[in-house]
Amino acid sequence: MPDVPWSTPTPPAPDTEVYVMASRFETETLAGAFRFFLRSPGIIRQIRSAPGAHGVALRARVFSRTFLTLSAWQDRDALHRFARSEPHRSSSRAAAAFMRESAFTFWTAPASALPVTWAEADRRLAEDGREARS
């Protein structure tokens, strides 16, 4: 399945910091992966029009039942407002029924570091996972 490459809904002001989130989702079943994937375009569209959104990307590995997301925000509040709004709110609640595992990591970065790379997201997710198991 194709990835959704990084897009920048609203460029951040130069010399500012952005709030970045990376997530990894693994579904229990292949059917759950297809359900997650089919909801993804609506969520991506929502991010692209969300106030304070500075970037979004999706790496979909449907047949491996794994999805990675990256997003950058003006601040933590902008991310939280998005997460509580529709359709994200309903979609995330519905996805909980078929999720095997979810992981999230958050950090701040200079606006000049955008777009964030998948390697950086993978590294940070792995580090946070090790810390959670320690």
Side-chain angles (χ1 to χ4, degrees), residues 75-130:
D75 54 30
R76 183 179 169 180
D77 290 340
L79 170 60
H80 286 227
R81 280 190 304 275
F82 157 76
R84 290 188 307 263
S85 63
E86 295 298 337
H88 182 270
R89 182 179 176 184
S90 297
S91 291
S92 62
R93 287 184 178 180
F98 53 83
M99 227 23 89
R100 179 178 191 198
E101 182 178 305
S102 302
F104 302 88
T105 188
F106 308 88
W107 69 97
T108 57
S112 61
L114 297 181
V116 177
T117 66
W118 287 114
E120 178 71 5
D122 288 339
R123 182 184 69 77
R124 288 181 180 266
L125 284 162
E127 281 179 3
D128 280 0
R130 282 193 299 272

Side-chain angles (χ1 to χ4, degrees), residues 31-100:
F34 279 105
R35 288 170 61 192
F36 187 96
F37 183 73
L38 290 174
R39 290 177 184 247
S40 297
I43 304 302
I44 297 293
R45 279 192 304 276
Q46 181 187 2
I47 293 171
R48 288 179 178 161
S49 65
H54 293 312
V56 61
L58 170 71
R59 179 169 277 177
R61 301 296 180 257
V62 176
F63 293 107
S64 298
R65 303 183 335 267
T66 303
F67 301 84
L68 295 166
T69 70
L70 268 172
S71 59
W73 300 87
Q74 178 180 339
D75 54 30
R76 183 179 169 180
D77 290 340
L79 170 60
H80 286 227
R81 280 190 304 275
F82 157 76
R84 290 188 307 263
S85 63
E86 295 298 337
H88 182 270
R89 182 179 176 184
S90 297
S91 291
S92 62
R93 287 184 178 180
F98 53 83
M99 227 23 89
R100 179 178 191 198

Side-chain angles (χ1 to χ4, degrees), residues 20 24 34 110:
V20 181
R24 181 180 54 250
F34 279 105

